Amino acid sequence: MSTPTLQLSLGPVLFYWTRERYANFYREAADWPVEIVTLGETVCSRRRDMKLDDWLGIGRELTQAGKQVVLASQTLIESEADLRDLRKLCDNGDFIVEANDQSALQRLSCAGLPFIAGAALNLYNPATLGVMKRTGMQRWQAPVEMSKKDLAQLIADCHQAGVSQPCEVFAYGHLPLAWSSRCFTARRHQTPKDRCKFVCQKYPEGLVLRSQESRDVFTLNGIQTLSSACQDLRYELPDMAAMGVSVARLSPRAEGMAEIVKAFDQARQNRLPPPDPLSVVDAEICDGYWYGQPGMDNTRTVAS
Amino acid sequence: MELVCPAGNLPALKRAVDEGADAVYFGFQNATNARQFAGLNFTDKRAREGIDYAHQRGKRILCAINTYPQPDGWQQWTRAVDQAADLGVDALILADMGLLDYAAQRHPNVARHLSVQGSATSHEALRFYHDHFGITRAVLPRVLSITQVRDLAKQTPVELEVFAFGSLCIMAEGRCYLSSYLTGDSPNTRGVCSPAAHVRWEETPQGLESRLNNVLIDRYAEGERAGYPTLCKGRFEVGGETYHAIEEPTSLNTLELLPELRELGISAVKIEGRQRSPAYVSKVAGIWRQALDRLEDAPGRFQPEHAWMAGLAELSEGATTTLGAYERRWK
């Protein structure tokens, strides 16, 4: 069996779970075939059950289990308190940080610390990736809306321009699509964000937003809006590796993550059974972005 | 405070200047700006006429090249920057880091403003753009409360421009991929949100329906005023209830915040709406000119006039306005 060239990473948990749930999840994840685990709260500064020390503790355990650990910064920075938390995160001394906002870029580049560039930084061209490489970027994530064709060209152009760095693609999970200062989960409960009573914890995989025809469209997750369907690029992994993608990111879901990781691990070794159109239809899958179509499209249902 | 007004075409630009805009912003007729609509925006020739018109009257012209250069289109974006610089614009409004870098190297004497699409919401983020690309002004996303703007303004390394009136984008601008999820086109990539080519209206037994790429965005009862199907302003079902789950169709209006914005040292107020008619731009610019003049005459006693508020309400989505995120309760 050939050694897989594509690494698998576990993205940060985007949802607001309980401490117990996080602890159990990462205890299990220690045994999963993923090389990289990204930890931390990237969505809402009001989600404070887990302190930085808690993440560092989990990080050390995962390091012991042989994982590369990354700490992710918050995507929307709004206040001085957010900046104080960001500073502590950047100065953690142990783990590399995933910058999800330009405030993090500033902290990290000023401190001379290397960083991973997150998907919301909008890195679409070699010139921008050149700037990022100059400031200390070690790996970058493609914007979620970027197609395979564009990404292949971008990776090739970066190579030519001498600004190549390992690239990570969002390969599985609810796609992070937008951030607001308004909390849509609190709004559903008719309470202001400042008195949200942490209702997000009631929804370990977000709250479904449907059209008036009962078509699932988005997933509300506090101030974040995610896709309703799960992007699933498991069958694309060989192509991804061939075009120079280094890491496939799997975004944690509340249930069944062990099976998903296993399927991706098999897929990167070309050992996945062929797609079963029926089961795919049941799972609410999308892969449109990868094919340059609307992100919600599922190209695999077309034939069935 | 500078009054910055939108121009989707030459007549709108002229009306904005005539009605008292201090600066007018425009974009070219392609995907390089965040308002790519059919029949809107400027050719090289029209831009030259507009710039001459404004400069002859002592007004400034800003050029928005604020989408993200795509892997197969870098030259289209750098050409737009070169073109704007050659035309003699007073500033470039940019979002992409690579393009900011290009503009700083190639046209160091043309001022660079950070577009709202650059998603800078803290003084640290502003410092990043300032230190690396020499920006002199930034437009703030519409997600900060007035207290947060105050904190940021105390430490900003650059001038600040804030949104004052017009459509309310409630997601952090430049980081919203909702439109491409439904239609394939996004503000970042194609300069469009909920693009008209994907919109469909249908009379049905349940009422008038608006769709975006076949997803039902809203359904209107008889006599109910129908709005453009911007996907985040539709009525959806969440947890068994149907409502405007993300935001109501409403416009931002910050007239009453003017004294505070002035006190915080905000350099410019921005009117949204390059997609609007010359008549709209003219009316909004006129009201805001009066308000800003009144503010300068007697900052301590400023009160928005009823006629101004009523005039702006008429021009607003759903005839209602909001202070949006500036007001903490909105969140």
Side-chain angles (χ1 to χ4, degrees):
Chain A
M1 192 54 58
S2 65
T3 319
T5 53
L6 196 72
Q7 292 190 311
L8 293 180
S9 83
L10 202 56
V13 174
L14 301 177
F15 307 104
Y16 191 26
W17 290 354
T18 59
R19 285 175 65 86
E20 293 68 32
R21 192 167 199 141
Y22 288 118
N24 292 338
F25 180 79
Y26 287 112
R27 201 171 300 129
E28 278 188 45
D31 296 329
W32 294 346
V34 295
E35 284 77 26
I36 303 166
V37 181
T38 303
L39 301 172
E41 173 55 53
T42 60
V43 177
C44 179
S45 57
R46 286 180 57 76
R47 298 173 173 183
R48 290 198 193 108
D49 282 26
M50 297 288 282
K51 308 276 187 255
L52 179 59
D53 280 346
D54 296 321
W55 292 120
L56 293 174
I58 291 177
R60 281 189 284 270
E61 281 168 27
L62 288 166
T63 306
Q64 295 257 302
K67 313 295 183 198
Q68 187 203 343
V69 170
V70 179
L71 291 181
S73 78
Q74 205 178 297
T75 310
L76 182 59
I77 299 281
E78 291 182 286
S79 66
E80 286 301 310
D82 291 350
L83 284 175
R84 279 194 297 276
D85 288 345
L86 175 66
R87 200 162 303 154
K88 279 191 231 156
L89 185 88
C90 294
D91 299 345
N92 78 84
D94 281 328
F95 302 115
I96 192 167
V97 170
E98 173 181 302
N100 286 312
D101 153 83
Q102 280 75 8
S103 318
L105 286 183
Q106 176 66 4
R107 293 296 310 168
L108 294 160
S109 60
C110 281
L113 292 166
F115 62 89
I116 315 279
L121 291 183
N122 289 327
L123 312 178
Y124 290 95
N125 57 68
T128 298
L129 284 159
V131 170
M132 289 289 89
K133 189 175 176 183
R134 272 198 330 255
T135 49
M137 182 184 80
Q138 304 282 304
R139 184 168 77 234
W140 64 285
Q141 287 156 37
V144 291
E145 63 183 357
M146 190 173 278
S147 69
K148 171 186 177 176
K149 179 174 153 280
D150 281 347
L151 184 58
Q153 183 179 343
L154 181 50
I155 290 173
D157 289 350
C158 283
H159 189 68
Q160 190 134 33
V163 296
S164 280
Q165 285 287 14
C167 170
E168 182 169 353
V169 166
F170 190 99
Y172 185 86
H174 297 284
L175 288 155
L177 297 174
W179 294 261
S180 175
S181 58
R182 169 177 277 181
C183 177
F184 308 113
T185 311
R187 183 171 163 85
R188 169 65 190 87
H189 286 262
Q190 291 163 345
T191 179
K193 181 171 151 191
D194 290 342
R195 292 197 297 279
C196 71
K197 298 187 192 133
F198 311 105
V199 284
C200 282
Q201 259 175 352
K202 285 188 179 176
Y203 309 103
E205 206 168 314
L207 185 55
V208 180
L209 176 150
R210 296 187 176 89
S211 77
Q212 292 179 54
E213 292 174 321
S214 299
R215 174 176 181 171
D216 293 358
V217 186
F218 297 124
T219 299
L220 304 180
N221 175 37
I223 67 159
Q224 184 183 51
T225 308
L226 302 160
S227 63
S228 153
C230 279
Q231 170 152 285
D232 185 350
L233 301 180
R234 76 182 74 176
Y235 301 103
E236 316 299 331
L237 296 189
D239 277 2
M240 260 185 223
M243 64 194 250
V245 172
S246 306
V247 183
R249 167 172 290 208
L250 315 178
S251 187
R253 293 182 61 184
E255 305 290 342
M257 214 48 208
E259 283 74 13
I260 290 158
V261 171
K262 191 174 157 197
F264 272 81
D265 183 41
Q266 289 178 332
R268 67 171 158 172
Q269 300 171 63
N270 273 318
R271 283 172 36 214
L272 199 67
D276 170 359
L278 289 177
S279 70
V280 169
V281 171
D282 286 339
E284 280 191 274
I285 293 304
C286 66
D287 62 3
Y289 276 140
W290 191 244
Y291 291 99
Q293 295 175 17
M296 66 179 180
D297 285 3
N298 179 356
T299 61
R300 292 191 176 273
T301 57
V302 175
S304 61
Chain B
M1 273 188 292
E2 189 176 57
L3 175 60
V4 182
C5 290
N9 56 31
L10 190 58
L13 186 152
K14 289 181 174 173
R15 299 287 287 274
V17 168
D18 294 347
E19 288 300 326
D22 299 304
V24 181
Y25 63 102
F26 78 100
F28 294 117
Q29 279 180 340
N30 55 38
T32 62
N33 78 88
R35 282 286 183 278
Q36 193 191 192
F37 287 96
L40 273 193
N41 299 320
F42 287 71
T43 59
D44 196 65
K45 183 169 170 287
R46 288 292 185 172
R48 195 174 298 275
E49 277 182 60
I51 291 167
D52 287 347
Y53 189 85
H55 282 174
Q56 280 158 14
R57 288 157 184 80
K59 309 299 181 186
R60 305 197 322 135
I61 291 282
L62 320 174
C63 181
I65 305 172
N66 56 352
T67 50
Y68 288 86
Q70 295 302 295
D72 62 354
W74 176 247
Q75 276 79 19
Q76 187 182 18
W77 272 264
T78 53
R79 208 179 307 125
V81 167
D82 296 340
Q83 198 181 341
D86 292 346
L87 283 165
V89 300
D90 297 281
L92 296 161
I93 307 172
L94 306 167
D96 181 70
M97 292 187 270
L99 205 61
L100 276 158
D101 196 44
Y102 174 86
Q105 304 293 330
R106 201 61 70 96
H107 306 285
N109 298 324
V110 183
R112 290 167 300 285
H113 294 182
L114 181 68
S115 165
V116 68
Q117 303 293 126
S119 316
T121 52
S122 79
H123 59 85
E124 294 271 23
L126 295 177
R127 203 164 289 284
F128 182 83
Y129 288 105
H130 173 263
D131 292 357
H132 289 270
F133 317 113
I135 62 159
T136 52
R137 181 185 286 188
V139 187
L140 295 183
R142 280 160 275 190
V143 292
L144 299 174
S145 69
I146 194 75
T147 316
Q148 288 164 344
V149 175
R150 177 186 294 277
D151 287 346
L152 191 156
K154 278 183 199 152
Q155 298 185 68
T156 177
V158 297
E159 288 181 1
L160 298 178
E161 179 173 318
V162 300
F163 274 89
F165 182 79
S167 285
L168 180 64
C169 188
I170 72 159
M171 304 301 182
E173 288 105 322
R175 289 202 184 128
C176 177
Y177 314 97
L178 296 180
S179 184
S180 67
Y181 184 66
L182 257 63
T183 71
D185 296 332
S186 79
N188 282 1
T189 58
R190 304 292 309 159
V192 288
C193 170
S194 307
H198 291 276
V199 169
R200 208 172 79 223
W201 292 94
E202 238 170 19
E203 278 294 355
T204 74
Q206 290 85 37
L208 179 65
E209 292 180 349
S210 60
R211 287 171 186 277
L212 190 65
N213 198 11
N214 210 30
V215 175
L216 183 64
I217 299 297
D218 214 338
R219 187 178 269 164
Y220 300 92
E222 187 145 349
E224 199 179 4
R225 194 165 142 170
Y228 186 84
T230 310
L231 61 89
C232 60
K233 306 215 172 121
R235 271 175 290 202
F236 299 98
E237 187 245 293
V238 183
E241 252 181 76
T242 299
Y243 62 111
H244 290 106
I246 299 177
E247 172 63 328
E248 280 90 8
T250 178
S251 293
L252 179 72
N253 179 9
T254 62
L255 261 191
E256 61 186 89
L257 289 181
L258 273 183
E260 204 163 353
L261 294 171
R262 182 181 182 279
E263 188 204 308
L264 300 185
I266 301 301
S267 300
V269 286
K270 187 180 199 88
I271 308 296
E272 187 276 345
R274 277 182 287 154
Q275 70 281 24
R276 308 284 186 173
S277 69
Y280 173 98
V281 171
S282 158
K283 205 163 173 187
V284 177
I287 292 173
W288 278 81
R289 180 75 274 152
Q290 286 181 55
L292 285 169
D293 289 348
R294 183 79 55 82
L295 180 74
E296 287 316 308
D297 287 347
R301 296 202 308 276
F302 179 84
Q303 279 281 328
E305 271 189 22
H306 178 71
W308 302 340
M309 294 300 269
L312 292 176
E314 262 176 45
L315 303 167
S316 299
E317 273 184 77
T320 58
T321 62
T322 172
L323 283 171
Y326 290 115
E327 189 176 43
R328 185 86 208 171
R329 274 181 310 174
W330 175 88
K331 299 185 173 183

